[in-house]
């Protein structure tokens, strides 16, 4: 069963040197107060100036060729940078989607004009993308997409609604999965991807706020939105194949493991400052699981580096990783005798509160566990 191939990957010395450089940079950013450590910052931490500083150092677009503004450093180097940014709780939401998957989709399926238009700006940390996949009443079942694109002169006209669209109110563009042919028994046929540039007067972007009042999710409504032919991504009708290859990138990264890691760091610091002895069994179990999941995520990055498309392995990492993220929050709550408090000025109770409120979304975003287990089951059956 090749889809289960998760061979251990050893990082080269150049990657470890890169890790030291990123850690030094982040230590300076934190010490200066330019950024603050928070959980779940790859969705909630929108800081365009920080993204531009990363872009200036060549730490965005690391998988892009140099002719498009990238560094060609590869998937393993990108893994190291990503891991350090998440572990430090750095605010990376602005460039996250564009760097992780939209830019990769443009590289794989985009026209030369599309690449030249978007990729250099993404690599500079100046161009941000949103994802237009999920829809009301269909959730993660992408084959049920109902947003329609109708052929008109010079392009397509979009009607429909996308939901849980993180960062759409800030983004410069979104890649929307739409139906360009009538539904048949082959539910995956007739789907296409389109680059929708934002803002657009025909598009309503409505906030969906968290219990904390935070705003990063949106509902996006297309009202006869015109998309020119030059903004169709790939071939019309090939949307399902394209979007499933994109999901491999979305589901396997260290963000599926490390969203709540800053909370654990702060909890251990709190126990140390208090002179308290942590529950070593609970802590040991947690760190052991973290290390195994990290090795699995790194193994997927290694397969991507080799040019493979490990979509099923990525689904396994996300299923296990997002369960772990929730477990980390619960275990931390038991390790420290502190109540979560969103109004607290102290870091730990505030972070604990943020993590608890965000935790129901861990297993939802990027595909629910039920969807992921369906993908894994089909692969096992077909093997």
């Amino acid at each position: 069963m090749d889809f289960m191939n998760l061979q251990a990957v050893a990082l080269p010395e150049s990657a470890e040197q890169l890790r030291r450089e990123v850690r030094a940079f982040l230590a300076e950013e934190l010490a200066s107060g330019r950024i603050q450590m928070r959980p779940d910052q790859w969705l909630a931490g929108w800081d365009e100036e920080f993204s531009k500083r990363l872009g200036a150092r060549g730490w965005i677009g690391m998988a892009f060729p140099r002719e498009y503004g990238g560094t060609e450093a590869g998937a393993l180097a990108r893994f190291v940078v990503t891991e350090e940014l998440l572990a430090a709780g750095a605010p990376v939401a602005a460039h996250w989607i564009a760097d992780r998957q939209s830019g990769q989709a443009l590289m794989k399926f985009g026209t030369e004009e599309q690449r030249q238009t978007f990729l250099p700006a993404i690599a500079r940390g100046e161009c941000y993308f949103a994802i237009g996949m999920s829809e009301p009443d269909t959730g993660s079942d992408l084959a049920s997409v109902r947003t329609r694109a109708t052929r008109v002169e010079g392009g397509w006209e979009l009607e429909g609604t996308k939901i849980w669209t993180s960062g759409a109110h800030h983004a410069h563009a979104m890649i929307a999965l739409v139906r360009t042919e009538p539904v048949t028994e082959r539910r995956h046929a007739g789907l296409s991807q389109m680059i929708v540039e934002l803002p657009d007067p025909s598009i309503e972007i409505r906030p969906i706020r968290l219990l904390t009042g935070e705003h990063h999710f949106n509902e996006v409504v297309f009202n006869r939105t015109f998309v020119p032919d030059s903004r169709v991504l790939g071939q019309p009708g090939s949307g399902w194949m394209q979007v499933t290859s994109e999901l491999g990138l979305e589901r396997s990264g260290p963000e599926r493991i490390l969203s709540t890691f800053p909370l654990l760091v702060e909890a251990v610091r709190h126990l140390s400052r208090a002179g308290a002895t942590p529950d070593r069994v609970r802590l040991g179990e947690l760190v052991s699981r973290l290390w195994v999941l990290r090795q699995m995520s790194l193994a997927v990055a290694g397969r991507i580096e080799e040019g493979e498309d490990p979509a099923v392995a990525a689904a396994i990492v996300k299923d296990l990783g997002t369960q772990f993220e929730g477990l980390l929050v619960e275990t931390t709550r038991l390790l420290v005798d502190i109540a979560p408090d969103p109004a607290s000025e102290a870091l730990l109770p505030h972070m604990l509160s943020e993590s608890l409120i965000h935790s129901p979304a861990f297993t939802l975003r990027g595909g629910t566990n039920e969807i992921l287990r369906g993908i894994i089951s089909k692969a096992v059956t077909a093997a």
Side-chain angles (χ1 to χ4, degrees):
M1 290 189 287
D2 187 57
F3 66 84
M4 290 289 287
N5 176 10
L6 288 170
Q7 293 292 321
V9 170
L11 291 171
E13 173 53 31
S14 60
E16 297 303 338
Q17 174 59 34
L18 175 61
R19 185 186 303 281
R20 290 190 284 273
E21 292 173 15
V22 178
R23 283 186 180 178
F25 166 76
L26 289 169
E28 185 180 334
E29 290 282 310
L30 288 163
S32 68
R34 286 191 289 272
I35 64 171
Q36 291 184 318
M37 184 174 70
R38 286 286 187 276
D40 214 20
Q41 290 295 279
W42 65 275
L43 271 183
W46 194 282
D47 185 335
E48 298 182 7
E49 294 306 314
F50 181 70
S51 292
K52 291 172 186 173
R53 292 198 290 277
L54 291 178
R57 288 174 174 267
W59 292 342
I60 302 176
M62 298 180 76
F64 301 169
R66 293 184 185 279
E67 63 189 289
Y68 301 119
T71 61
E72 300 181 0
L76 294 180
R78 184 181 178 279
F79 183 95
V80 167
V81 172
T82 301
E83 190 173 46
E84 292 301 319
L85 291 170
L86 293 166
V92 292
H95 68 270
W96 194 261
I97 302 300
D99 183 47
R100 181 184 67 183
Q101 67 192 86
S102 305
Q104 310 273 1
L106 287 164
M107 276 302 308
K108 201 168 183 179
F109 305 111
T111 64
E112 182 61 20
E113 185 274 332
Q114 290 169 356
R115 293 173 185 164
Q116 293 289 356
T117 299
F118 294 108
L119 293 180
I122 290 173
R124 291 194 301 269
E126 297 174 356
C127 181
Y128 317 121
F129 271 66
I131 301 171
M133 293 189 193
S134 297
E135 297 193 358
D137 305 320
T138 63
S140 301
D141 181 11
L142 297 182
S144 299
V145 161
R146 292 179 295 188
T147 295
R148 295 195 57 80
T150 304
R151 202 75 174 94
V152 296
E153 185 176 354
W156 301 79
E157 199 169 80
L158 272 57
E159 286 274 0
T161 301
K162 297 292 180 181
I163 199 167
W164 310 122
T165 312
S166 299
H169 54 306
H170 296 306
H172 300 101
M174 69 184 296
I175 296 180
L177 182 67
V178 300
R179 190 163 288 285
T180 47
E181 298 172 22
V183 180
T184 66
E185 291 183 354
R186 296 176 59 237
R187 298 169 67 235
H188 299 157
L191 295 168
S192 303
Q193 284 187 298
M194 298 191 179
I195 305 167
V196 182
E197 297 189 58
L198 300 170
D200 184 302
S202 71
I203 300 175
E204 295 177 61
I205 301 178
R206 302 166 179 163
I208 303 172
R209 296 189 182 278
L210 304 184
L211 290 173
T212 58
E214 293 173 78
H215 172 203
H216 58 81
F217 286 131
N218 297 280
E219 182 179 59
V220 179
V221 183
F222 303 115
N223 298 299
R224 301 185 63 185
T225 300
F226 177 72
V227 176
D229 285 327
S230 63
R231 290 294 171 262
V232 174
L233 181 62
Q235 294 299 313
S238 299
W240 180 259
M241 177 275 292
Q242 294 176 197
V243 82
T244 49
S245 68
E246 191 178 323
L247 288 173
L249 298 167
E250 181 179 355
R251 289 170 171 164
S252 64
E255 69 268 33
R256 303 302 179 182
I257 302 165
L258 295 175
S259 292
T260 49
F261 182 75
L263 174 66
L264 179 62
V265 171
E266 185 56 26
V268 172
R269 285 175 179 166
H270 168 80
L271 291 168
S272 176
R273 286 193 294 267
T277 302
D279 183 331
R280 292 178 178 174
V281 173
R282 285 187 193 277
L283 191 57
E285 289 176 349
L286 200 64
V287 173
S288 299
R289 291 184 66 166
L290 171 61
W291 188 252
V292 171
L293 288 165
R294 188 254 185 186
Q295 294 301 99
M296 292 172 67
S297 179
L298 180 57
V300 174
R303 291 185 64 183
I304 293 172
E305 178 97 337
E306 296 297 320
E308 299 180 36
D309 181 16
V312 179
I316 296 170
V317 171
K318 183 184 180 296
D319 183 16
L320 298 174
T322 53
Q323 291 180 67
F324 169 79
E325 288 181 305
L327 175 68
L328 187 150
V329 178
E330 283 302 309
T331 303
T332 302
R333 192 171 61 82
L334 296 171
L335 285 172
V336 295
D337 185 21
I338 287 180
D341 181 359
S344 175
E345 293 185 0
L347 192 54
L348 184 55
H350 189 83
M351 289 175 70
L352 187 55
S353 170
E354 283 181 324
S355 299
L356 281 168
I357 292 172
H358 286 213
S359 60
F362 294 159
T363 56
L364 299 178
R365 53 201 189 194
T368 64
N369 288 22
E370 289 74 15
I371 290 288
L372 299 173
R373 291 167 192 176
I375 293 169
I376 297 163
S377 298
K378 287 178 183 175
V380 171
T381 303

